[in-house]
Amino acid sequence: MPAKRILVSGGAGFLGSHLCERLLSEGHDVLCVDNFFSCDKRNILHLRDNPRFELIRHDVTFPLYVEVDEIYNLACPASPIHYQHDSVQTIKTCVHGAINMLGLAKRVGATIFQASTSEVYGDPEEHPQKESYWGNVNPIGLRSCYDEGKRCAEALFFAYHRQNGLPIKVGRIFNTYGPHMHPRDGRVVSNFIMQALRNEPITIYGDGTQTRSFCYVDDLIDCFLAMMGTEKDFAGPVNMGNPGEFTIGELAARVVDMTGSRSKIIHEPLPADDPRQRRPDIALAREKLGWEPRITLEEGLARTIPWFEKMVASGE
Ligand code: NAD
Ligand code: UDP
């Protein structure tokens, strides 16, 4: 495959840094665009000396003029703590960021991928969630800056697709974890592993019966590339995640067990609008992308824990 010039917005973040690594390993030129709002520069330091890697400090809520063949639009804080920290900026990043990236794609004729989210389904009344489900989102709740921002971004992507014939690829990502997660981003996997490694109390919000489906990052990046490789007219949206479903209580027990921790489990109040259940129906990804996740939660945690051990050792 000839080398392409590929822009990854949010490229220094958790998923973005893995994507940059993968695209470079396949011989592409990668332009990483990030304003470092919710990431750690250490994620991409090892890529700096690669002549095919270029980094621009830039906020996607402002226009960007570059020449590229493909765009992966990942810029947006993903953890509830980060996206609720400045909810107005989160909405701007979702909406103005999408408009700027779509405008760029239109000008240069690039195919553009949108990192959408299972949060478009809100607190789902349909289980598991299929792409045809319209969701159950509180439009004014604490999570709405992210949920509605991402829903508006999907609307923008499909508007550009219909109106301008722009080739778009929309992926709805379910909870994903792995090395390069920010150790203090407040997401459940990073929190539990950091707490377990420090023998601090493991904080389960609510009674721990709420469920999530956890996908290991390498599986997800395979899915991104498979989606980008689909025929020009296939836009999605496609659910991207691991259909294995676990309660948060089960996750806590597994992390304690695998780290050999002395941590006790404590319960804290459940945040407002916290979805009760979440599991992707991935039939469409299987059919259209020939993709399904291969890494079990056990294996994925075993690959992730050493990363957090290094973080703890470095004083995080
Ligand atoms: P992350 O917070 O680690 O990465 C997001 C990156 O975007 C960060 O590097 C951040 O600095 C950057 N960013 C934020 N606002 C920006 C702006 N205005 N301009 C430029 N850069 C900006 O999160 P992640 O887990 O890597 O998520 C990446 C994308 O995938 C996000 O769009 C997120 O909504 C989506 N997603 C992730 C998950 C998951 O479980 N990891 C699930 C669903 C959707
Ligand atoms: N959670 C928890 N303890 C924590 C962090 C999160 O019990 O220390 C719960 C949270 O309330 C939610 C689930 O774990 O029910 C997943 O939370 P996360 O923030 O990772 O992502 P979400 O899927 O809610 O966006």
Side-chain angles (χ1 to χ4, degrees):
M1 200 205 296
K4 292 181 187 152
R5 299 160 303 173
I6 305 180
L7 187 162
V8 181
S9 81
F14 160 47
L15 297 179
S17 57
H18 285 275
L19 179 61
C20 289
E21 248 175 53
R22 177 71 71 84
L23 294 171
L24 287 168
S25 77
E26 297 197 350
H28 299 295
D29 287 329
V30 173
L31 179 57
C32 170
V33 172
D34 207 298
N35 69 348
F36 303 108
F37 177 81
S38 57
C39 67
D40 192 321
K41 282 183 197 151
R42 282 178 292 186
N43 282 348
I44 44 149
L45 279 185
H46 62 296
L47 305 177
R48 258 185 335 184
D49 296 332
N50 187 324
R52 291 194 175 276
F53 181 73
E54 204 177 339
L55 171 66
I56 304 183
R57 183 183 193 113
H58 174 79
D59 180 334
V60 294
T61 63
F62 297 97
L64 179 67
Y65 295 90
V66 289
E67 307 305 314
V68 289
D69 305 304
E70 278 177 4
I71 299 172
Y72 287 85
N73 185 36
L74 271 58
C76 183
S79 93
I81 287 185
H82 284 152
Y83 70 64
Q84 288 169 22
H85 171 73
D86 184 346
S87 45
V88 173
Q89 174 66 11
T90 298
I91 297 173
K92 286 185 185 170
T93 295
C94 289
V95 178
H96 294 290
I99 292 171
N100 287 326
M101 287 297 122
L102 285 161
L104 170 62
K106 187 178 144 198
R107 184 177 65 79
V108 299
T111 302
I112 179 165
F113 171 90
Q114 166 67 355
S116 191
T117 168
S118 54
E119 284 288 312
V120 300
Y121 301 124
D123 189 6
E125 287 160 332
E126 183 179 302
H127 194 70
Q129 293 79 54
K130 285 198 184 71
E131 291 85 351
S132 53
Y133 178 49
W134 289 1
N136 177 36
V137 173
N138 175 355
I140 56 168
L142 281 178
R143 298 174 83 105
S144 64
C145 56
Y146 183 74
D147 299 8
E148 297 292 14
K150 289 284 188 178
R151 285 169 68 96
C152 183
E154 284 201 11
L156 281 162
F157 269 70
F158 277 86
Y160 271 79
H161 182 57
R162 291 195 193 99
Q163 204 170 313
N164 304 106
L166 189 70
I168 61 159
K169 310 283 172 193
V170 176
R172 290 183 178 156
I173 306 165
F174 285 63
N175 298 60
T176 300
Y177 67 99
H180 296 191
M181 287 183 94
H182 196 288
R184 282 172 278 107
D185 79 0
R187 284 187 267 193
V188 69
V189 174
S190 41
N191 266 13
F192 285 3
I193 298 178
M194 288 297 284
Q195 290 163 342
L197 292 175
R198 293 172 169 148
N199 296 306
E200 289 170 356
I202 306 274
T203 54
I204 292 185
Y205 303 156
D207 63 6
T209 56
Q210 71 271 36
T211 67
R212 292 293 186 274
S213 299
F214 299 102
C215 185
Y216 185 68
V217 61
D218 289 0
D219 277 334
L220 187 78
I221 301 299
D222 288 343
C223 189
F224 284 7
L225 269 55
M227 181 74 180
M228 202 43 125
T230 52
E231 73 218 33
K232 184 170 180 282
D233 290 337
F234 181 66
V238 177
N239 285 340
M240 301 184 163
N242 190 319
E245 184 181 1
F246 299 87
T247 67
I248 295 304
E250 283 168 343
L251 176 72
R254 202 164 287 215
V255 168
V256 170
D257 186 46
M258 289 182 69
T259 49
S261 173
R262 297 191 304 280
S263 293
K264 299 268 176 298
I265 287 181
I266 60 165
H267 291 266
E268 290 188 357
L270 192 67
D273 297 334
D274 199 276
R276 289 288 319 149
Q277 54 184 0
R278 209 184 262 162
R279 171 155 60 103
D281 178 319
I282 60 163
L284 187 64
R286 284 197 177 101
E287 181 201 327
K288 293 285 188 181
L289 316 184
W291 173 87
E292 63 183 347
R294 282 181 286 200
I295 298 167
T296 62
L297 181 61
E298 196 88 17
E299 260 178 276
L301 288 175
R303 295 187 194 188
T304 305
I305 290 166
W307 158 264
F308 286 103
E309 284 171 338
K310 270 198 281 177
M311 290 284 124
V312 172
S314 74
E316 282 287 347

